[in-house]
Amino acid sequence: MALQIGHNRSARGLQYGYLVGQMSKGEKVDYVIVDEAQFLAPEQIDQLARIVDDLDLDVFAFGITTDFRTKLFPGSQRLIELADRIETLQVEAMCWCGARATHNARTVGGEMVVEGEQVVVGDVNRSPEEVGYEVLCRRHHRRRMTSAAAHAAALSPDVLPVNPA
């Protein structure tokens, strides 16, 4: 059996003691899977390391490293500090331009923002007035050029050749 703990469950309640309790009751735990590990507190990452070291269980933690401001999430930072091995998944997201997407962009009302709370729930399938996210390459993240902004610029008369006559 695998114990799966994700952010939709009570990830904040992840405790080393919980696993010890389950195993003391005879429950067999083969490994622990954590999804959205960036949202864990550094203390919870410490507990995951303790699960590996003291209970001899493998822990597989998945998540992203940086937020829309290109700042490390505290959980990701601690995970990088303690991880025995870090692997980039072979499934790579692509920017609208076709380059490898390495950054997350937050949009509000269709405009990219670079300030605000680190964690705000949004959706990629949203109305333009809502908070959303888009993956971009570093170049387009720095330029704040989302796919919508690029499409709007391509349709702008300012980019068409102008005849001075």
Side-chain angles (χ1 to χ4, degrees), residues 2-55:
L3 177 65
Q4 184 172 355
I5 301 168
H7 74 285
N8 290 333
R9 299 191 185 191
S10 181
R12 293 268 179 221
L14 172 63
Q15 300 283 331
Y16 172 84
Y18 173 78
L19 277 176
V20 170
Q22 293 297 105
M23 295 169 80
S24 296
K25 293 178 192 174
E27 189 75 34
K28 184 176 183 330
V29 179
D30 298 312
Y31 48 87
V32 175
I33 299 173
V34 180
D35 193 22
E36 303 286 2
Q38 71 270 15
F39 296 127
L40 296 180
E43 299 78 27
Q44 292 172 306
I45 301 298
D46 290 341
Q47 289 183 35
L48 294 176
R50 188 172 178 204
I51 289 167
V52 171
D53 295 340
D54 296 353
L55 302 180

Side-chain angles (χ1 to χ4, degrees), residues 86-106:
I86 299 171
E87 292 184 27
T88 302
L89 296 180
Q90 288 183 351
V91 177
E92 293 184 359
M94 304 300 280
C95 179
W96 60 265
C97 70
R100 183 173 170 260
T102 55
H103 291 67
N104 295 298
R106 179 184 293 167

